[in-house]
Amino acid sequence: GGGGGGGGEAHPLLLLPDELVNDKIANKLRQQLADPVAVTTGAMPDWCSEVATKFPVVLPLDVRFSFFSLTAFGLDRTVASFQTQHDRSPSRVRQRLNARTREEDVGGSLGHLRQERAAVKRGEGLLESATEVMRTHAARKAQLEVTFEGEEGHGSGVTNEFYSLVSEALQGRDVGMWLCDDVGSDDSSSAKKAAQQAAFTASHKAQTSHKLSVVSSGLSSPTRPPKPSQEA
């Protein structure tokens, strides 16, 4: 072939991520992950973990996420994941809608996560309260629900708010987890920016005046050569 290729054309040896996915292997792994007994008892074939951990590029994102969520967090979380999938299935939804009473709802239940509730302080003591909660509940398999002291709200919305506030508090400069360019106060930072701007302006003026002097000297009329002396 010739030298440089046309602009915008992909190199023939480059492959897109989707081109590496193997549909046959992905479908076989989906079938294995759909078996609750095999997953919860650890009876899946060895090739499942080999492919998912050593050759993840041949699997699409949904299969990789499913394998991770079903195998990485212990038996309790695995059972809860299967229960969630079962509850969201169309047949289970129709069964719940057709059941007039709870006794008529005979849908199978694999189990649910045990829930624990913790109360934290809102405001200045949030990080300290969050540290104590994580120290107490991090090693447990129960689902954690967080409430704020002195408030009646509870549920997933309040728990999500807790995690959002903690992540925001961890971004503070006083925590000491991050490198900050503007180390000083706002006043010193403004003074530093003003000094930098003044230095830039002075340097720009000096360069401009130098260029003007060079141009003016180049445009000045050249020295006329002396007239030849007349012969006597």
Side-chain angles (χ1 to χ4, degrees), residues 50 54 65 79 90 93 102 110 117 127 155 202 216-217:
E50 290 285 330
K54 296 183 179 180
F65 179 78
V79 173
V93 172
R102 180 171 297 182
L110 298 175
R117 182 176 294 182
L127 282 182
S216 61
S217 63

Side-chain angles (χ1 to χ4, degrees), residues 183-205:
V183 180
S185 61
D186 295 339
D187 295 338
S188 61
S189 178
S190 300
K192 183 178 180 181
K193 291 181 179 179
Q196 292 177 348
Q197 182 65 27
F200 173 78
T201 303
S203 175
H204 180 69
K205 288 182 178 180

Side-chain angles (χ1 to χ4, degrees), residues 86-99:
H86 175 67
D87 292 340
R88 293 177 179 175
S89 63
S91 59
R92 176 64 178 141
V93 172
R94 288 194 301 269
Q95 188 179 32
R96 286 201 304 267
L97 293 176
N98 295 330

Side-chain angles (χ1 to χ4, degrees), residues 228-232:
S229 57
Q230 297 180 354
E231 295 181 357

